[in-house]
Amino acid sequence: MSRVRLPLAVLSLASVSALALSGCSQSSDASKDTGDTAASASAATGKKPAPFGEGTVKVALVRQSGAGDYFEQWGNGAKAQAKALGIDLTVYDAQADNAKQATDLSSAINSGAKAIIIDHGFPATIQPEIDKAVKKGIKVVVYDVDTATKGVVSTEQDDASMAKAVLDVMAKEVGKDAKVGYVNVAGYAALDKRDTVWKSTVTSEGWKQQFKVGKVTDSTATDNVPLVSAALTQHSDVAGVFAPYDELAKGTVLAVQNKKLQDKVKVFGADVSNADIQQMTAADSPWVATAGTDPSAVGAAVVRTTALELAGQLNKTSVQFPAVAITQDFLREKKIANMDQLREALPALNLSQVSTADWISNVAH
């Protein structure tokens, strides 16, 4: 989103109990085509530390992936980086089943993995298993999961910077004291962080929030169309709508178009992916700005963070990945049609200097 990814964009969520569509149950496959150029790795020059100098290192990735291609790209980036590092990566994906994720995490703990990466998840369900993993001496790295367990490394998109980046654009586009709409869901870590920035901006800009709707399902974009359409029926005079997760933004765009308000209502989202770029650059699209990280780069950076933690070289307990604003005008001007082209046009998306060392074969995106 980021997901995201929450692709948010993810979507970056603390609970994805109703999110997952994509992903595999278990896999050690380190490559899958998403329409992006296959990732390549820069050569490592330094001597590999233990345990990487001793052969293949077993790592588990326990996921709660969500709808949209953000999560797919995130996973592919993680797999490509694992392959470049000589990691034997086993992937579990609970696909919206919280109980299954707890079971998956238990399986990962008993699999002999030296480290476990947890990508999203419902804290109340998986917290007991996180504690078990740490007590067993397994390195645990979480992505967009709230946990207070000492010894766990937390990684996440900088959701506050993501919201601020796109809301700065929205402020310029709609002006002070404008009537605005909001599409979001409470109870998800990343979306709650974005919500805090939204509330602050509404106050500072003097915006008049006319409605708040939204829900997260296994078909988030589709299921939000009627909600936003109904809100727009009552409040067709809003100048802009903020939907801080790309699947929420997609549903909002469709609702605006269905109500034939695309010339009056501007949509501001969060997260970025191939599908998001295509929708933003489409003719008559009201989606004028988003903010995000490169999901593939984030997935790879989380794996590198895990490698450094295994090698005893991380020396920190949290890593954040900054977001950048991306406007419709920029995409159209540069004729950007996919993530590969966006990476070239926006070097700030490149996380190659985050969580790296001379012994790491760093995946290029």
Side-chain angles (χ1 to χ4, degrees):
M1 354 197 137
S2 243
R3 211 11 132 219
V4 243
R5 87 90 285 151
L6 224 199
L8 234 173
V10 190
L11 178 60
S12 309
L13 304 176
S15 165
V16 285
S17 58
L19 269 178
L21 260 187
S22 60
C24 55
S25 56
Q26 294 189 38
S27 172
S28 58
D29 181 13
S31 64
K32 183 177 181 182
D33 184 14
T34 61
D36 290 341
T37 298
S40 59
S42 60
T45 58
K47 182 180 178 180
K48 291 182 179 181
F52 295 93
E54 303 165 358
T56 301
V57 177
K58 188 174 180 61
V59 174
L61 171 57
V62 179
R63 308 192 70 191
Q64 275 274 31
S65 64
D69 61 352
Y70 179 95
F71 284 94
E72 186 176 17
Q73 292 180 46
W74 194 104
N76 288 345
K79 292 174 185 177
Q81 184 64 74
K83 183 177 181 180
L85 278 164
I87 288 174
D88 176 10
L89 186 70
T90 299
V91 181
Y92 305 78
D93 197 334
Q95 300 188 58
D97 186 335
N98 289 328
K100 184 178 185 305
Q101 190 179 25
T103 300
D104 286 346
L105 186 46
S106 178
S107 297
I109 291 170
N110 295 320
S111 70
K114 292 183 177 296
I116 298 173
I117 300 168
I118 305 173
D119 172 26
H120 296 92
F122 188 49
T125 305
I126 60 177
Q127 185 60 58
E129 298 301 324
I130 291 175
D131 292 339
K132 288 179 185 177
V134 172
K135 288 179 181 178
K136 196 171 181 179
I138 300 170
K139 300 295 185 182
V140 177
V141 176
V142 300
Y143 178 71
D144 277 334
V145 176
D146 284 338
T147 176
T149 302
K150 187 176 181 180
V152 172
V153 176
S154 295
T155 66
E156 61 184 356
Q157 294 180 119
D158 187 342
D159 290 290
S161 77
M162 179 180 292
K164 186 177 187 307
V166 72
L167 288 173
D168 284 349
V169 177
M170 184 171 176
K172 294 177 182 177
E173 291 284 341
V174 306
K176 293 276 189 178
D177 304 317
K179 292 182 179 180
V180 297
Y182 190 33
V183 183
N184 200 3
V185 182
Y188 298 85
L191 294 185
D192 288 344
K193 292 172 186 175
R194 299 173 195 184
D195 177 69
T196 298
V197 180
W198 164 255
K199 289 176 179 174
S200 175
T201 306
V202 167
T203 299
S204 63
E205 295 296 324
W207 289 341
K208 301 172 181 62
Q209 182 177 310
Q210 301 300 293
F211 63 82
K212 178 184 177 182
V213 298
K215 63 181 178 180
V216 172
T217 70
D218 59 359
S219 301
T220 297
T222 301
D223 290 343
N224 276 275
V225 175
L227 299 180
V228 181
S229 293
L232 290 172
T233 297
Q234 296 183 346
H235 305 284
S236 61
D237 57 345
V238 295
V241 179
F242 182 44
Y245 161 37
D246 57 354
E247 293 301 306
L248 293 174
K250 290 173 185 175
T252 302
V253 166
L254 290 173
V256 170
Q257 291 172 328
N258 287 348
K259 302 298 293 185
K260 302 188 185 306
L261 293 171
Q262 57 264 41
D263 293 332
K264 298 179 181 179
V265 180
K266 297 178 179 179
V267 177
F268 302 84
D271 305 315
V272 63
S273 68
N274 288 331
D276 298 341
I277 292 170
Q278 291 165 13
Q279 190 155 4
M280 287 181 71
T281 56
D284 298 323
S285 173
W287 190 350
V288 299
T290 191
T293 55
D294 174 359
S296 181
V298 169
V302 172
V303 171
R304 293 198 301 273
T305 299
T306 305
L308 289 172
E309 176 69 359
L310 275 168
Q313 296 181 5
L314 185 62
N315 301 319
K316 62 178 70 173
T317 58
S318 66
V319 179
Q320 287 193 325
F321 311 116
V324 297
I326 301 157
T327 66
Q328 182 185 71
D329 287 343
F330 176 81
L331 295 174
R332 288 176 172 172
E333 177 187 345
K334 300 295 184 180
K335 295 181 172 56
I336 293 170
N338 54 51
M339 287 299 300
D340 282 338
Q341 294 171 353
L342 183 61
R343 292 177 188 116
E344 291 182 9
L346 270 182
L349 288 171
N350 189 342
L351 298 175
S352 62
Q353 298 306 307
V354 177
S355 295
T356 192
D358 61 3
W359 57 271
I360 292 178
S361 297
N362 198 326
V363 170
H365 302 276

